[in-house]
Amino acid sequence: MAHARKRQKSHNSVFSAKEVMSKRELKELAIAIFQTLRQNVSLDWQHKEYVRAKLRVAVKRVLKEYGYPPDMQKIAVDRVIEQAELVANKLV
């Protein structure tokens, strides 16, 4: 399944994910991230830095696979981890 596709932009322009990805792509990305989180979390994962690091890498890998803008990946990963902490009991 080839989700990644090249995105063209100039060096000075900044896009949001909504501007460079369709609603369908964003929905598929959200589902893939949720599944990745479910597969990689463990009990008390929020308190174990090595598990958090593993999750960050897994989420970044999914973002890259789906063609998420590279310059926005750190913000997206941070946001995903924050949101995952809010629903941690549903992920385990």
Side-chain angles (χ1 to χ4, degrees):
M1 191 184 275
H3 295 287
R5 58 181 174 179
K6 297 193 182 214
R7 314 255 186 228
Q8 294 181 346
K9 69 176 196 172
S10 71
H11 292 284
N12 295 329
S13 59
V14 177
F15 296 113
S16 75
K18 289 181 181 179
E19 292 175 295
V20 295
M21 298 179 77
S22 70
K23 285 184 180 185
R24 182 186 54 76
E25 288 174 314
L26 289 171
K27 181 179 177 181
E28 289 175 6
L29 174 60
I31 292 168
I33 288 173
F34 182 76
Q35 291 171 342
T36 298
L37 290 172
R38 277 194 114 165
Q39 292 169 359
N40 289 286
V41 297
S42 60
L43 292 176
D44 296 333
W45 67 270
Q46 316 89 296
H47 307 294
K48 298 177 182 176
E49 192 55 42
Y50 71 94
V51 178
R52 290 171 58 90
K54 179 179 154 185
L55 286 173
R56 294 178 73 78
V57 169
V59 169
K60 190 171 182 178
R61 189 174 295 132
V62 172
L63 291 172
K64 188 174 185 176
E65 177 185 336
Y66 278 78
Y68 199 85
D71 57 333
M72 300 177 70
Q73 287 182 6
K74 182 180 180 343
I75 294 168
V77 170
D78 291 344
R79 188 170 296 149
V80 166
I81 298 300
E82 287 172 15
Q83 291 175 355
E85 289 173 345
L86 295 175
V87 295
N89 60 335
K90 295 179 183 177
L91 292 174
V92 181

